[in-house]
Every structure is written in C-alpha cells, then in structure tokens.
Amino acid sequence: MPETKTFYVTTPIYYPSGHMHIGHTYTTVAADTIARFKKLTGYDTFFLTGTDEHGQKIERRAKEKGVQPKQYIDPIVEETQDMWAMMEIEYNDFIRTTDERHVRVVQDIFKRFYEQGDIYKSEYEGQYCAECEAFWTPSQLKDGNLCPDCGRPTELVREESYFFKMNKYQDWLIDYIENNPGFIQPESRANEMLQNFLRPGLQDLCVSRTSFKWGIQVDFDPKHVVYVWIDALANYISALGYGTGDDTLMQKYWPADVQLVGKEIVRFHVIYWPIMLHALGLPLPKKVFAHGWLLFGNDKMSKSKGNVAYPQPIVRRYGADALRYYLLREMPFGADGNYTNESLITRINSDLANDLGNLVSRTSAMIIKYCGGKVPVPGEYFDVDKTLIQAVEALPVQVETEMDSLQFSRALAHIWRIIGDCNRYIDATQPWVLGKNPDEKERLDTVLYVLAEALRFVAVLLWPYMPATPDKIYGQIGIREAQDKTWDSLAQFGRLTPGAGIERKGALFPRLELDKELEALSEDDATEPNAQEEASAIAPDKGLISMDDFEKLDLRVARVEQCEKVPKSEKLLKFTLSLGTQKRTVVSGIAGSYEPEKLVGTQVVLLSNLAPRKIKGIISEGMILSAASNDDKTLKLLTVESDIEDGAGIS
Ligand code: MSP
C-alpha cells in the first residue's frame, strides 16, 4: 500500500476581542479551500484554526463590561465557530489558547527555553500599545506618544520581564531563509524581512509581563504571565499534542505544509516562530504565506473607524458559496484588494448567475427537452467537440498547478474559461437548430453529452471553493454515484453514464438587482452582526454602568438646523445639527414618530462621541437620545432599543 500523503494547513488564531469580520473570513476561507483541494486530490489533511484569547486588550475589554475575561470571550468564540459553520468551513481542530491542553504545552516550552538559556530575566521599559499588544521605540511613535499602527496613545511600561535571546539564532535564520527560497511567500516578503529586521540585527524579545494577569502563568515564577507571541505561536503544535507523550499527530503532520497569515503578522511567523521551533529542535513549516488585506472603502477595516463588513448579512442574502467565490476570485492572493458591495453583486451576476448558472440551466433544460430528461449516448466527436474536450481534460492539472502556489483567483479563472468555452460551444453548435431536424439527433445527443460531461469536470473542481454548489449541479446533469465526483474520475473524459435521469432545479444563483441589493446591504450594515447575542452576553450587568463608563459618554444639547427624510427609507431621518461652532450630520430611525419639518429649530440630546457609522451611505456622527415631541414640545426619551429596530442602531 502506498503511504498516504499528508497536508497540514493553519490560519492565524484570531483575537476574540470583538466580532470576526470579512477580513478574518478571508483567511479562513482560503485555508479551508486549500484543505478541501488537498483532500480532493487524495491527501490526508489537517486544518487548524482557533482563537488567541490572552492579553491586556481582552483583559481590559472584559473589565469595561464588568465580566471576567473568559466570560467575555466565550460568546464571541461561540459566535466565531457558528460563523465558520455558516461559511462551510470544515476545520479538523479549533484551538483556544485557554484550553488546558495548550496552557500546559506553553508552560513546558517556556521552562525549557529558560533551562537551556534562551530566556533570561531582566527589566523592560518602553512605550506600549495595549490595543495592538505591541511595544514601540521612541522613533517609531507618531507625534511623540501615539501608536504608529492604530494611532491610540501608548503608555510607558516599566516592569520585570523575561526576554528571549533572538540574536543567538539570527545568523542561522538568515542562512535558512537564503537557502530555502520557498519558505516565505510571496518572495518579496522574504527580502523585506532580511533587509528590515534580520540583517540590521534582532532585538531580544520580551516574552513575559507582570503588569497584567490575563495570560498563561510562568509556573516557576508565578508573578509573570507569558506574553502573547510565545503563547499564540505555540498553538500550531499544541493542537497536535506536542510534548504530551502522544506524538501521533506531530509525527503525521508536522512540519506544517502551509501557514497562512495576514501581511501584518508575517514577521512573527518567519522570525520568532522559526527561532522558537529551532530552539525546540523541531523542523520549520514548509511555507508561510503572507496574504494581503481586504480593505473596505480603500482603508484597513477597523471597528473604531466604522468601516467593517461582516459576512452574516451577505451569506443570509446570497449564500456562503457566493461570498467564498468572491473572496477567492476578486483579488490575487498576496495582494491587497478593496471590498465593495457593488463589486460583490457584480461578480455574483456576471460569473455565477450568467456564466455558470445559465450554462447549467441551458444544458439541463435541453437534455429534458430533446432527450426525454436522460443523459444521451454520444456519437462521433467532431473537431469542435474535440477542441472543447481537450481543454476540459487539461483543466484539472491547470487548477492544481495554480493551487500549488495558492493562486485561487487564477485557478478559478481556468474553470471560468472552460465555462465560457462551453457557452460559446452552445452558440457554435446551436442545439436548438439541431433539435428541429430528426436527422441530426445523434449530433444533438453528442453536443449535449459533451456539455454535461464538461459540467461534471467543472462541478468536481468547484467543490473546494464552493462546497455547496456541486451537489446542486450534479442532479441537473445526471450524476449520482460518488465515484463520478472524485478527482480520479477526471482522469478521463466520458465517465458520465448515458441513460441517467436529469432533475430540473431552480436557478443556481438568481440574478440580482444591483440598486435593490445595495440598499438592502447598506441597511444591514447598520446593525452589528449579532447585536442581540452581545447584549445577552453582558446581560448580568445590564442597567449597571460604572462611573468610568458614564464619563466616557459625551452628551450634548444640539439645535436641529435641518431635518429631512432619508430617500427610500421609511424609518430614517437625516439631521444637520449645530453644536455651537460645530455642525454634525446624524441619521436617526425616528421617522415613524416625528415629522422632519416640525423638528427644525428644536433641541435634541446627542451622544456626540459615538464612533461614526455609515447608514444608507450617510456618515452618521452620533446618536440622538432625546427629541422634542411633535405635540407639546417637551423632550421625549428615545430608547436605544427602538433605535436598533429602526435601523439606526448602536455601534
Ligand atoms: N492573534 C494574532 C495572531 C496570532 S497567530 C499565532 C492576530 N489576531 S487577529 O485577530 O488580529 O487576526 C489577524 C489575522 O486576521 C490577519 O493576519 C489575517 O489573517 C486576518 N485578517 C484580519 N483582518 C483582515 C483584513 N482586513 N484583510 C485580510 N485579512 C485580515 O493577529
């Protein structure tokens, strides 16, 4: 028996400090697609994802909500897992850094590093950004004190810490990177790492903290907790049971074949992680691939900037496969790309509804009409058939080649080239003309057989990218047997069995009306993905806010200068408010109870420091909490709940 080939792929483990968005979805969908493709092509795969649950940021967020960190995290982790199920993500394991199995491994690794002299105790002083969990040198800070990544104020931290002697391994790593050109992908990132970090000389890395508690305790020095990166990076081996005495999974899957990361964390994965592994005597992952960012409004998504897209509303409207296709097709893996609702709808219409959907429905409709709903027996192949057959037979290898370099978009472009070829083949062979002439029956049967068999190739190859779509195609071209859905079944054209019955189904991807969809999506933007779940997660403290919380609210009385209905909306009013010298635009969902003209000149109470949010394409800068009633001009309190229902929502 030949040995089974194995394949291990990982995503970064995400911080559950807030809801996961479409950017996290991007990495996870990519990893899932790789895992599925390898599974399809005969590999025994292991796909790991998870959550990175320690650190000061989470400790602070939990404190703000008045709950314990674990209580704060659990609902977010659950929501993340639900989101992955909704996206058809099939991971083999989901590791949480609070799992006991992980904690033990991190403690052991830390001790081992200390005992072998890789880690020493000293004192740290520097500017620290808790939001980004990063230390910055004075020259890196913006405007003297601000974090160069997120722009928030940093704080001076001075504390006893353990440090990892990174420079001890620097020359070894430079050598390794230079001699293993495939290790860091895209290759330009390798040059960047060598030039910016490795050749100038590595600083020792701070690996423990004493100023916060939410982390894995250093067991031989309990006032320290392990500081994020050793904890986080170790997940890739703790999930395989490293150091537990049972090394089955380590033997089988380590070293990882591909570790996917966003470009902002490539440094940790190609410098600190290899050094940690080398210090443990373990081989390095075969490939670390740094992909680009999915931007929204040409900017990195950020909740505080209000420019975040979440997958839930998209999947609810168009299904996971449509979003998966868009993410994998729209931008080359490795480059940045801009997400827009418009480009999503346009892609769905052109590629999924028109190209693929039409091909499937035309083919099955013609087999029903001309062949009594049964796959026909093909006759002799003509040149026009042979050209298409050759292109179809070449497709699996072309797709595999692109997948070997993780070029999802190019792999899909190959599949769509064949879909285009098939649509052109229909136009060239004109089955509806053949159908009128009984002498052309054999020719007609051949054309329809070639189309159905070409679609079988397309459906089999689509599975890794769009897992639910192939099953919707199979019935429409008479495929039932599992053996006709495999990679091996693509070794030859012509496996489709004549005589098999066709099922007619509705459109695979209904055509969308752009304007209507854009409006619906922008309304969806106005609500958090799971606002109710978040509310229930913190329910024990509902009604109780601390003075600290209260002091954060900037409540102002503002004068209504203008007020009008938001076009095409029943509920929304757009206000222009005057706050003395400042003007503000605010959208509020109170059109049901107020006439806009009557509000002009009245006063409202405004929560003025709410993060700006886009509602129906309008940037709304604050929330109206109270407005004068139409009748007696007394102030009326508008509850946050009614605001949510009305689509103006809390951020
Ligand atoms: N917890 C660390 C990673 C530790 S791995 C040992 C972390 N977490 S994170 O929640 O901030 O997730 C970062 C990762 O999420 C990125 O590296 C990327 O994979 C994905 N993305 C988050 N936002 C993204 C975009 N806007 N675009 C593309 N990917 C994005 O860093």
Side-chain angles (χ1 to χ4, degrees):
M1 276 273 287
E3 216 182 303
T4 325
K5 301 168 290 181
T6 61
F7 198 90
Y8 180 28
V9 56
T10 66
T11 70
I13 46 169
Y14 308 110
Y15 292 128
S17 44
H19 303 289
M20 302 302 152
H21 54 62
I22 202 171
H24 306 100
T25 311
Y26 180 62
T27 318
T28 314
V29 164
D32 183 65
T33 304
I34 301 167
R36 285 175 182 269
F37 190 80
K38 287 292 168 186
K39 224 183 278 178
L40 179 70
T41 53
Y43 285 74
D44 173 341
T45 60
F46 195 89
F47 164 24
L48 176 71
T49 189
T51 37
D52 187 359
E53 306 188 356
H54 295 119
Q56 197 164 12
K57 180 153 106 185
I58 285 171
E59 189 178 78
R60 283 194 181 161
R61 290 268 156 90
K63 202 166 166 206
E64 279 163 23
K65 305 268 186 204
V67 293
Q68 291 303 312
K70 190 73 177 14
Q71 244 182 310
Y72 171 75
I73 294 163
D74 281 345
I76 302 179
V77 173
E78 204 180 310
E79 174 194 290
T80 305
Q81 291 173 333
D82 288 347
M83 188 164 124
W84 295 156
M86 175 196 81
M87 288 304 301
E88 308 268 0
I89 303 294
E90 262 183 15
Y91 48 75
N92 294 83
D93 197 357
F94 188 102
I95 181 111
R96 303 182 56 176
T97 54
T98 49
D99 287 348
E100 192 44 42
R101 57 175 174 157
H102 174 79
V103 170
R104 248 180 292 128
V105 172
V106 171
Q107 286 176 328
D108 290 351
I109 291 179
F110 200 93
K111 185 132 127 236
R112 176 159 165 197
F113 288 153
Y114 182 67
E115 283 168 359
Q116 59 189 43
D118 290 321
I119 281 179
Y120 62 93
K121 187 146 80 171
S122 179
E123 187 162 81
Y124 188 84
E125 185 178 302
Q127 295 298 132
Y128 181 67
C129 173
E131 185 67 22
C132 301
E133 308 268 14
F135 287 102
W136 302 106
T137 60
S139 65
Q140 289 171 316
L141 294 172
K142 236 178 24 189
D143 300 335
N145 179 41
L146 304 181
C147 168
D149 262 6
C150 71
R152 292 182 174 81
T154 57
E155 52 205 282
L156 182 68
V157 171
R158 185 188 164 88
E159 62 185 76
E160 183 186 285
S161 290
Y162 284 92
F163 287 84
F164 194 107
K165 284 184 199 159
M166 287 290 162
N167 62 9
K168 176 171 157 191
Y169 295 101
Q170 177 177 307
D171 292 343
W172 160 79
L173 186 56
I174 292 176
D175 210 45
Y176 186 89
I177 293 175
E178 285 176 345
N179 287 311
N180 292 275
F183 171 50
I184 305 173
Q185 290 291 317
E187 238 172 277
S188 56
R189 300 267 171 222
N191 300 332
E192 213 176 284
M193 294 296 127
L194 287 166
Q195 262 169 34
N196 298 349
F197 300 103
L198 282 157
R199 294 210 179 97
L202 288 178
Q203 309 270 340
D204 287 352
L205 178 71
C206 168
V207 289
S208 81
R209 302 289 304 274
T210 49
S211 60
F212 64 92
K213 288 278 151 260
W214 182 238
I216 297 177
Q217 207 169 45
V218 174
D219 47 3
F220 58 88
D221 195 350
K223 88 175 174 193
H224 289 255
V225 294
V226 178
Y227 173 54
V228 288
W229 284 99
I230 286 195
D231 173 1
L233 290 162
N235 90 86
Y236 302 128
I237 51 176
S238 69
L240 298 184
Y242 173 77
T244 56
D246 177 357
D247 65 353
T248 325
L249 291 177
M250 279 300 284
Q251 286 288 347
K252 195 165 170 192
Y253 296 112
W254 193 259
D257 293 271
V258 176
Q259 301 211 262
L260 293 186
V261 295
K263 64 181 182 181
E264 78 291 355
I265 54 170
V266 64
R267 178 161 63 102
F268 304 103
H269 284 80
V270 302
I271 298 181
Y272 302 147
W273 179 223
I275 288 178
M276 273 172 70
L277 287 166
H278 190 61
L280 293 171
L282 289 171
L284 307 198
K286 291 180 202 154
K287 193 187 283 184
V288 173
F289 195 108
H291 66 69
W293 284 340
L294 195 59
L295 309 171
F296 192 41
N298 284 312
D299 201 357
K300 179 142 200 267
M301 285 187 223
S302 139
K303 223 174 143 187
S304 52
K305 287 188 214 149
N307 64 337
V308 185
Y310 295 99
Q312 289 90 340
I314 300 172
V315 173
R316 273 198 296 271
R317 296 188 76 77
Y318 320 116
D321 277 9
L323 179 57
R324 289 175 66 114
Y325 176 76
Y326 171 84
L327 293 174
L328 296 165
R329 179 74 198 266
E330 191 70 8
M331 60 203 211
F333 205 58
D336 287 349
N338 197 27
Y339 172 82
T340 64
N341 289 336
E342 191 160 359
S343 60
L344 170 74
I345 307 298
T346 309
R347 272 263 172 226
I348 294 178
N349 275 343
S350 71
D351 298 11
L352 301 181
N354 279 4
D355 297 344
L356 175 63
N358 275 348
L359 176 61
V360 173
S361 77
R362 284 163 99 187
T363 305
S364 72
M366 289 191 292
I367 297 180
I368 289 169
K369 181 163 176 195
Y370 300 121
C371 312
K374 296 210 167 10
V375 175
V377 181
E380 188 193 342
Y381 291 137
F382 291 5
D383 281 350
V384 64
D385 313 317
K386 286 183 193 156
T387 309
L388 179 59
I389 293 171
Q390 266 171 19
V392 170
E393 283 179 335
L395 183 61
V397 171
Q398 288 163 338
V399 171
E400 189 173 34
T401 308
E402 298 299 353
M403 287 301 285
D404 282 344
S405 48
L406 305 190
Q407 288 310 315
F408 307 100
S409 178
R410 290 213 297 255
L412 285 167
H414 279 298
I415 302 178
W416 255 258
R417 181 174 40 77
I418 294 294
I419 294 172
D421 286 349
C422 289
N423 278 320
R424 280 185 293 277
Y425 174 81
I426 298 182
D427 298 339
T429 53
Q430 302 195 313
W432 55 92
V433 176
L434 299 174
K436 291 192 185 124
N437 182 353
D439 293 346
E440 296 281 14
K441 179 71 172 99
E442 183 181 323
R443 183 70 203 125
L444 176 62
D445 284 354
T446 309
V447 166
L448 295 181
Y449 182 87
V450 169
L451 281 171
E453 175 65 349
L455 263 177
R456 186 179 70 85
F457 273 63
V458 166
V460 171
L461 290 171
L462 274 184
W463 179 73
Y465 314 87
M466 306 171 73
T469 299
D471 277 340
K472 296 182 187 152
I473 299 179
Y474 288 136
Q476 304 202 51
I477 52 170
I479 299 214
R480 279 184 192 81
E481 303 301 324
Q483 70 210 32
D484 293 336
K485 303 175 182 172
T486 64
W487 175 256
D488 287 345
S489 76
L490 305 184
Q492 103 225 60
F493 188 93
R495 276 187 75 122
L496 185 59
T497 320
I502 301 285
E503 284 162 27
R504 190 81 179 106
K505 290 210 177 120
L508 276 188
F509 295 94
R511 233 195 115 69
L512 304 170
E513 266 179 61
L514 182 64
D515 289 347
K516 201 172 120 211
E517 296 307 319
L518 291 181
E519 185 179 340
L521 285 173
S522 85
E523 274 196 350
D524 266 332
D525 282 350
T527 9
E528 285 277 307
N530 285 307
Q532 282 157 350
E533 278 166 45
E534 183 166 77
S536 67
I538 55 167
D541 296 295
K542 219 173 169 197
L544 294 177
I545 63 165
S546 67
M547 237 4 235
D548 285 354
D549 292 331
F550 179 71
E551 278 167 7
K552 285 191 203 133
L553 305 179
D554 189 3
L555 299 176
R556 307 277 186 97
V557 172
R559 210 177 72 84
V560 180
E561 291 210 328
Q562 285 171 29
C563 183
E564 60 196 52
K565 288 196 82 162
V566 172
K568 296 196 210 147
S569 167
E570 300 276 289
K571 302 163 187 166
L572 300 177
L573 292 181
K574 178 180 164 194
F575 288 81
T576 305
L577 301 178
S578 164
L579 286 93
T581 52
Q582 264 186 57
K583 294 235 184 312
R584 285 287 178 95
T585 300
V586 175
V587 175
S588 179
I590 58 172
S593 347
Y594 287 89
E595 290 164 42
E597 323 65 70
K598 291 199 178 154
L599 285 167
V600 176
T602 64
Q603 290 184 322
V604 294
V605 177
L606 179 73
L607 172 59
S608 75
N609 61 341
L610 185 70
R613 354 210 348 255
K614 204 162 157 192
I615 302 173
K616 288 258 181 198
I618 303 165
I619 306 284
S620 178
E621 307 160 286
M623 183 191 287
I624 295 179
L625 301 179
S626 170
S629 99
N630 278 340
D631 319 318
D632 56 10
K633 300 285 176 215
T634 53
L635 277 180
K636 196 174 140 197
L637 192 63
L638 308 169
T639 65
V640 169
E641 272 76 11
S642 77
D643 231 13
I644 293 174
E645 278 162 23
D646 284 326
I650 44 168
S651 172

